[in-house]
Amino acid sequence: MKTNLCALFVLCLLSPVGATNAQERVLTLEGKDLSLATLARALDQQCGVDLCYPPAWEDLLRVDVHCDSADMTTCLESALMPAGVRLWADLPHRIILYKGRSLTSDLAHLQEASPSDPGELSTDMGEESRNPEVSTPERLIPSLVVGKEADRRGRNVARIRGKIRDSGSGEPVIGATMVLLPGGKGAVSDQQGVVSLSVAPGRYQARFSFIGMETWECELDVRSDGEFSVEMTEVVIALNEVQIVGNHYRDINSTDVGVERLSMRSVKQVPLFMGENDVIKISKLLPGITSSGEASVGVNVRGGGADQNIFYINRVPVYNTSHMFGFLSAFNSDIVQDFSIYKGNPPASFGGRLSSVFNILTRKGNLKTHTAHAGISPVSAHATLEGPIVRDRVSLLISGRTSYSDWMLKRLEDPLLRESSASFYDLSAYLHARANDKNEFDLFYYGSRDQFAYGKQSTYRYANEGGSLSWKKVISPALSSHLSLATASYSFGNEEWKQASQAYAHNYRLGHHELFANLDWVPAMNHTLDIGGSVVVYDLNRGRVEPVGEESLRIPVELGEEFGVETSLFASDNIQVLPWMTLYAGLRYSFFSEIGPKTVRSYATGGARTDATVIDSTRYDRFRKVSSESGPEIRLALNMKAGPNTSVKVAFSQMRQYLFMLSNTVTISPTDQWKLSGSHLSAPKGNQVSAGVYHIWPDKGVSASMELYYKHMENIVEYRDGANFISTPYIETQVLQGVQQAGGIELMVQKNSGRFDGWANYTFSRSMVEVDGEEYEQINRGEPYPSNFDRPHVLNVIWSYHLNRRFTFSSNVVYMSGRPVTFPSSLYYINKYVYIDYYAKNQVRVPDYFRIDASLNLEGNLKSRKTFHSSWSLSVYNVLGRNNPQSIFFEPREDFLQGYSFSVIGVPIVTVSWNLKLGNYESN
């Protein structure tokens, strides 16, 4: 290269073609305004690659390079793209730089030409030779033909549909970006790995990209409506991984507002609690999402209650998402492929909750090869087996987790805890079948069970179980359908023996059975329609409370059964109004009917609903309608692009919720009961307005966003003082309904490349409740008060430092304002009985919450030929050993009240976990 760059450049062009892709190599080089000679030396020394280019470029072309042990080809493309220079690897050890048309493998017609004059190069380095006999070679890229030439005549719009799959496993790639050049029109693959759009017939350069996968380009020859398939190959760039939220293209170009998407890489790098990767706990590190306490999987989204969220795993609803009373979640992260949280403006196809939808999709199973994953931590072990039954057609995935935590309880000082026991398991199975290119079938099962005994005072057991059957059919390139049937049940049982005179046993069960169908249609150039409906049947048995033991004086209570049917129809249209403006408009109309058998009381007016004010009752037979409600749920969103890297969005959404949770505690517990709306209790409903500004700096791998929101909710369920939900089947005597308002601002910054990456977010928000009416229907004398979930200030900082490919250090910093509590105002005695008076509700706060976690992840050796690859993780939860109060309570003394604070975890928790999988470091 040093002797005659021109001769070497021509020689490179005339050499036989040996390969179309450079061998994968890693490059480390940092600098601005570097010469090509500097770049060439770095490639030669680090990668053993010769860089070929015209000698006139030696002094004229300067580049900025920011590569830290990253893929060589990706680095070169990023550095040379601003100058309009392309690269072509004709041999594994040689790369040619050029500008002009793409290269072709037919180089026989090339003739030697004198190098371009440096003066000409300064104005257009890639200008083709003035010699008409010399043509610039074209790049070797594959060509995909979509549609038929015979169907092209008379068409100005072609509807194309592509399926993007992982070449290693055959599974769909969710969130992959497809961009067509020229023009920059594109789409993002949905949860089935499908991209759909309408374009004018013609030739396009298509680029497919996804985090962690090699960018793939092709020439797309669109002739008419048609389909195509693309396979993307996973690459390992250990120091250039995205931590959270699929890709920036979606953030800037979609109409999504208040949507968070977790990548599994982020879950695996965040410090672990008890050695378990936990998608629900990771979600609490996102803006606008908090929890009520340390040991709680229940989440509060934008000031809403934990019962205002619905959790789906492959269309199966899960009503209790916790293991071990909230220390762990019920979802095994080892099989999760995509995790989306809709907290602002969910698609019209989702409904049923006021605050959010958590939609979890698992992997379908490897269609190419058989593989296995396993891991062990101090409290549990997990294993996953997957592989093809019929290669490329049918796959099976089986995954399970179980615990063995009793050994920890036996070593505690508290004698009551030493006599306690805790255990759980969960099991998932997924059968995926491709009948042909137009029909896919999925069968999924999920089950979990928990048992806990607190000494000899109480026992708890609760379980989730369900399954779904789905059929996805491609009717035409512009039309596809999805039909699914899901069934799920949640049950719990508990026995209390703390007071022998009040000992009791109680069992409860909730059934959810849902039929869902929709059509995805691309009717025109810039339209995407989604039309469908769903039917949900609720089967709820609140159970029977029975005395336990000979000394129990408990009176048996039959809490009764409830049945309800929720039906919905929805339609939405995503339309590009202008090149810089996209509108999403959706309407969901829902109906709910309460069904007998049921006895409904009538109460006297002018007084509280109590047993003493009952004036009549009506008995409804089985299948007879008791009450009904219905109403529209409007969804609107507008995206206005202020440039290629900036967008402004506004959205409005309406939600209705036809069941809620009965709980007089702040955190979710297994004894909490779900209750259907209906007679005397109207369905909660709410409106939310949100807006956001989003910007990305692609060259720096940084993105930032700011979102504002305001929520107004009606018929929120609050509880009378001393409410007891297992004493009567008539819940209207225990609760009141009011209005809740919440609003806030969420700031988020992410860095997703380099040795140092992560994200930070800050949320300022308020959540206020007002229950006003007659004096007997007031809480806090009718004045607004902070909700139990009101935390004005929340700050999360999550970062990772990649020492190299094998070692990664990560840390979290979490700060939250203390949650509100109600303090007593006075203590008095009547006939020697102690009475405590509480004045204002939720006007005092527990101390602020602050926690730091840290972890060190160690990968095994990086040998390519390995039967197994293992990794280790050392995590420290609550590094500072801070006592963060979960709650504050008071006990009366002779002439004063003694206050106590309760902390769940007040010491550092150190855990070591080990994970094992078939294959090497790069195997999936």
Side-chain angles (χ1 to χ4, degrees):
M1 275 190 299
K2 296 180 180 179
T3 57
N4 192 334
L5 291 173
C6 177
L8 181 55
F9 180 67
V10 174
L11 180 61
C12 289
L13 293 180
L14 295 175
S15 299
V17 176
T20 59
N21 292 297
Q23 181 179 345
E24 292 182 9
R25 291 179 172 87
V26 173
L27 176 66
T28 299
L29 183 60
E30 184 78 22
K32 291 188 175 182
D33 201 32
L34 300 179
S35 67
L36 284 182
T38 303
L39 182 60
R41 281 195 298 270
L43 289 175
D44 185 31
Q45 294 170 3
Q46 298 183 37
C47 307
V49 171
D50 291 331
L51 193 64
C52 302
Y53 53 87
W57 294 14
E58 181 74 63
D59 300 318
L60 295 174
L61 181 60
R62 317 293 288 189
V63 295
D64 297 340
V65 185
H66 305 282
C67 298
D68 191 350
S69 296
D71 176 68
M72 175 191 68
T73 305
T74 303
C75 287
L76 291 178
E77 288 179 341
S78 299
L80 296 168
M81 186 179 298
V85 177
R86 302 183 181 186
L87 58 95
W88 182 50
D90 70 323
L91 288 175
H93 61 275
R94 186 168 61 200
I95 292 178
I96 301 173
L97 302 186
Y98 69 98
K99 186 176 180 183
R101 296 198 306 267
S102 299
L103 293 178
T104 180
S105 59
D106 184 12
L107 306 180
H109 62 280
L110 288 180
Q111 301 178 11
E112 258 191 69
S114 59
S116 303
D117 181 74
E120 295 177 3
L121 182 64
S122 64
T123 59
D124 187 358
M125 289 182 297
E127 186 178 62
E128 295 179 17
S129 172
R130 294 169 181 257
N131 185 342
E133 299 298 324
V134 178
S135 62
T136 306
E138 301 213 354
R139 188 175 185 183
L140 281 172
I141 60 173
S143 178
L144 291 178
V145 177
V146 181
K148 299 178 180 179
E149 186 65 34
D151 299 333
R152 182 171 186 169
R153 181 171 299 176
R155 288 179 174 267
N156 55 10
V157 177
R159 301 166 183 85
I160 61 175
R161 175 188 178 89
K163 182 81 171 183
I164 305 177
R165 295 189 176 94
D166 186 327
S167 63
S169 65
E171 292 191 288
V173 180
I174 302 172
T177 301
M178 170 185 170
V179 178
L180 299 182
L181 300 174
K185 185 173 184 178
V188 177
S189 62
D190 62 16
Q191 294 176 338
Q192 309 305 323
V194 173
V195 288
S196 299
L197 70 164
S198 296
V199 297
R203 292 178 179 269
Y204 301 88
Q205 181 182 348
R207 177 177 299 166
F208 299 85
S209 59
F210 183 69
I211 299 303
M213 290 192 165
E214 183 179 350
T215 298
W216 192 80
E217 296 183 6
C218 71
E219 183 186 74
L220 204 63
D221 184 359
V222 179
R223 301 177 179 178
S224 65
D225 293 358
E227 302 167 17
F228 63 93
S229 180
V230 170
E231 289 194 344
M232 300 184 68
T233 303
E234 184 171 340
V235 294
V236 176
I237 309 173
L239 303 184
N240 192 28
E241 290 183 346
V242 162
Q243 295 301 307
I244 188 171
V245 187
N247 60 61
H248 301 309
Y249 178 87
R250 186 194 301 264
D251 296 336
I252 299 300
N253 292 279
S254 74
T255 54
D256 293 340
V257 181
V259 178
E260 305 287 354
R261 291 180 173 86
L262 283 171
S263 75
M264 289 306 100
R265 286 185 177 86
S266 63
V267 173
K268 293 176 182 177
Q269 292 185 6
V270 171
L272 310 177
F273 176 69
M274 293 294 184
E276 286 284 333
N277 290 315
D278 195 324
V279 293
I280 302 298
K281 287 191 176 295
I282 300 300
S283 71
K284 299 176 188 177
L285 301 176
L286 300 175
I289 304 177
T290 62
S291 65
S292 300
E294 193 92 54
S296 174
V297 172
V299 296
N300 306 110
V301 178
R302 291 187 168 178
D307 63 338
Q308 295 177 6
N309 314 303
I310 189 167
F311 294 82
Y312 282 110
I313 178 168
N314 293 337
R315 297 299 309 182
V316 176
V318 178
Y319 279 85
N320 191 323
T321 60
S322 70
H323 280 319
M324 297 179 67
F325 281 85
F327 283 106
L328 302 173
S329 79
F331 303 115
N332 183 357
S333 298
D334 193 43
I335 63 172
V336 174
Q337 182 180 29
D338 183 73
F339 184 20
S340 301
I341 306 170
Y342 299 94
K343 59 183 182 179
N345 189 41
S349 56
F350 286 112
R353 296 295 188 275
L354 296 187
S355 289
S356 71
V357 176
F358 285 66
N359 190 34
I360 300 174
L361 295 179
T362 68
R363 292 185 289 107
K364 298 174 181 292
N366 198 309
L367 283 163
K368 304 288 186 180
T369 60
H370 294 87
T371 184
H373 309 259
I376 187 171
S377 72
V379 297
S380 66
H382 63 88
T384 301
L385 301 173
E386 59 181 303
I389 298 176
V390 178
R391 184 178 171 84
D392 293 328
R393 288 294 181 184
V394 183
S395 64
L396 176 65
L397 180 148
I398 300 176
S399 179
R401 277 193 305 173
T402 188
S403 65
Y404 41 83
S405 54
D406 287 354
W407 69 272
M408 299 178 64
L409 297 174
K410 304 303 180 186
R411 287 163 173 75
L412 298 178
E413 295 182 3
D414 190 326
L416 194 59
L417 289 175
R418 286 202 303 268
E419 296 176 358
S420 302
S421 63
S423 64
F424 72 85
Y425 75 82
D426 57 60
L427 177 66
S428 302
Y430 201 133
L431 181 66
H432 170 66
R434 261 189 228 163
N436 49 49
D437 292 338
K438 295 186 178 296
N439 293 276
E440 292 186 3
F441 297 89
D442 298 287
L443 180 63
F444 176 73
Y445 167 82
Y446 172 80
S448 69
R449 184 176 179 85
D450 280 72
Q451 295 188 80
F452 177 77
Y454 184 53
K456 296 182 179 180
Q457 292 188 4
S458 57
T459 62
Y460 300 89
R461 58 191 178 278
Y462 57 97
N464 295 284
E465 189 170 26
S468 63
L469 175 63
S470 298
W471 173 31
K472 304 175 187 69
K473 180 177 179 61
V474 178
I475 302 172
S476 73
L479 183 64
S480 63
S481 66
H482 177 204
L483 177 67
S484 70
L485 176 64
T487 182
S489 67
Y490 167 63
S491 61
F492 81 78
N494 72 297
E495 296 182 1
E496 292 286 346
W497 303 311
K498 187 174 182 179
Q499 297 180 7
S501 62
Q502 293 295 314
Y504 71 91
H506 178 218
N507 293 291
Y508 169 95
R509 189 190 68 81
L510 168 65
H512 176 126
H513 317 285
E514 181 173 356
L515 177 65
F516 173 88
N518 79 312
L519 289 172
D520 285 322
W521 183 31
V522 183
M525 183 74 78
N526 297 313
H527 284 251
T528 303
L529 286 174
D530 187 16
I531 305 170
S534 66
V535 178
V536 181
V537 177
Y538 298 103
D539 173 12
L540 190 155
N541 186 339
R542 296 187 57 219
R544 178 181 174 86
V545 179
E546 296 182 309
V548 173
E550 296 180 355
E551 300 180 30
S552 179
L553 302 178
R554 195 91 182 195
I555 299 175
V557 178
E558 187 73 46
L559 299 180
E561 295 181 277
E562 296 182 12
F563 300 90
V565 179
E566 177 184 348
T567 306
S568 64
L569 298 172
F570 62 85
S572 65
D573 186 8
N574 199 79
I575 176 173
Q576 186 175 356
V577 181
L578 296 169
W580 53 271
M581 180 186 295
T582 304
L583 172 68
Y584 176 88
L587 175 64
R588 178 186 180 90
Y589 201 96
S590 59
F591 312 80
F592 178 77
S593 296
E594 182 186 17
I595 307 298
K598 185 175 184 178
T599 298
V600 179
R601 285 175 164 184
S602 298
Y603 297 90
T605 57
R609 292 171 180 163
T610 65
D611 293 344
T613 59
V614 177
I615 58 175
D616 197 4
S617 64
T618 304
R619 179 66 181 176
Y620 293 87
D621 295 331
R622 184 174 295 276
F623 302 124
R624 184 181 173 186
K625 184 171 71 174
V626 179
S627 64
S628 62
E629 290 185 73
S630 63
E633 300 175 35
I634 298 172
R635 314 286 167 80
L636 294 171
L638 183 66
N639 180 355
M640 296 167 288
K641 295 184 65 176
N645 300 325
T646 306
S647 67
V648 179
K649 306 178 189 179
V650 293
F652 171 77
S653 63
Q654 294 179 313
M655 303 292 284
R656 290 175 176 267
Q657 182 168 333
Y658 295 107
L659 76 166
F660 51 86
M661 188 179 291
L662 299 174
S663 174
N664 51 12
T665 61
V666 175
T667 60
I668 290 180
S669 73
T671 56
D672 296 336
Q673 303 177 40
W674 290 90
K675 171 76 174 66
L676 295 176
S677 63
S679 306
H680 303 301
L681 294 173
S682 300
K685 57 184 178 180
N687 300 330
Q688 181 174 178
V689 179
S690 53
V693 180
Y694 311 83
H695 185 78
I696 60 175
W697 293 267
D699 55 332
K700 295 181 174 61
V702 175
S703 66
S705 65
M706 178 183 69
E707 291 189 1
L708 299 94
Y709 69 92
Y710 170 75
K711 296 165 65 174
H712 178 85
M713 295 170 282
E714 300 176 359
N715 302 327
I716 299 300
V717 177
E718 290 286 287
Y719 311 105
R720 298 179 186 271
D721 293 339
N724 188 332
F725 303 123
I726 60 173
S727 63
T728 175
Y730 303 105
I731 294 300
E732 64 268 18
T733 64
Q734 306 294 308
V735 302
L736 296 172
Q737 292 188 285
V739 174
Q740 182 177 0
Q741 299 183 72
I745 180 172
E746 300 168 358
L747 306 175
M748 179 85 158
V749 177
Q750 305 173 52
K751 183 179 183 298
N752 55 33
S753 62
R755 290 185 181 273
F756 184 87
D757 55 27
W759 72 91
N761 58 71
Y762 166 75
T763 302
F764 173 78
S765 64
R766 295 305 308 270
S767 175
M768 305 295 291
V769 178
E770 181 180 350
V771 181
D772 194 11
E774 300 296 334
E775 185 175 353
Y776 50 83
E777 292 183 341
Q778 291 181 346
I779 295 179
N780 198 47
R781 305 182 312 282
E783 297 294 327
Y785 57 90
S787 72
N788 293 330
F789 327 108
D790 179 54
R791 293 185 183 268
H793 303 281
V794 178
L795 174 68
N796 298 304
V797 179
I798 297 87
W799 59 272
S800 298
Y801 183 76
H802 307 269
L803 284 77
N804 51 42
R805 219 182 232 194
R806 295 185 61 189
F807 291 90
T808 300
F809 179 77
S810 303
S811 180
N812 304 336
V813 178
V814 180
Y815 166 80
M816 295 186 289
S817 300
R819 69 173 184 83
V821 294
T822 302
F823 273 20
S825 58
S826 61
L827 170 70
Y828 55 91
Y829 292 84
I830 299 179
N831 296 328
K832 297 183 179 180
Y833 289 98
V834 179
Y835 291 87
I836 301 174
D837 185 30
Y838 295 88
Y839 179 68
K841 186 176 178 66
N842 286 354
Q843 299 303 312
V844 184
R845 294 183 182 274
V846 302
D848 292 350
Y849 182 97
F850 182 74
R851 191 186 81 239
I852 297 178
D853 310 325
S855 71
L856 178 65
N857 298 316
L858 169 63
E859 296 289 344
N861 68 64
L862 305 181
K863 294 180 179 179
S864 60
R865 295 186 178 181
K866 296 181 65 177
T867 305
F868 296 98
H869 177 82
S870 65
S871 62
W872 292 84
S873 180
L874 170 66
S875 297
V876 184
Y877 185 88
N878 193 13
V879 172
L880 302 180
R882 179 181 168 88
N883 281 292
N884 290 300
Q886 173 93 348
S887 61
I888 294 178
F889 60 96
F890 296 84
E891 291 186 356
R893 296 293 181 257
E894 291 186 0
D895 54 357
F896 68 94
L897 288 172
Q898 177 66 55
Y900 298 90
S901 67
F902 172 68
S903 298
V904 177
I905 299 175
V907 296
I909 303 294
V910 181
T911 56
V912 177
S913 60
W914 178 56
N915 290 281
L916 180 72
K917 66 178 179 180
L918 285 175
N920 59 22
Y921 172 74
E922 299 185 16
S923 64
N924 185 14

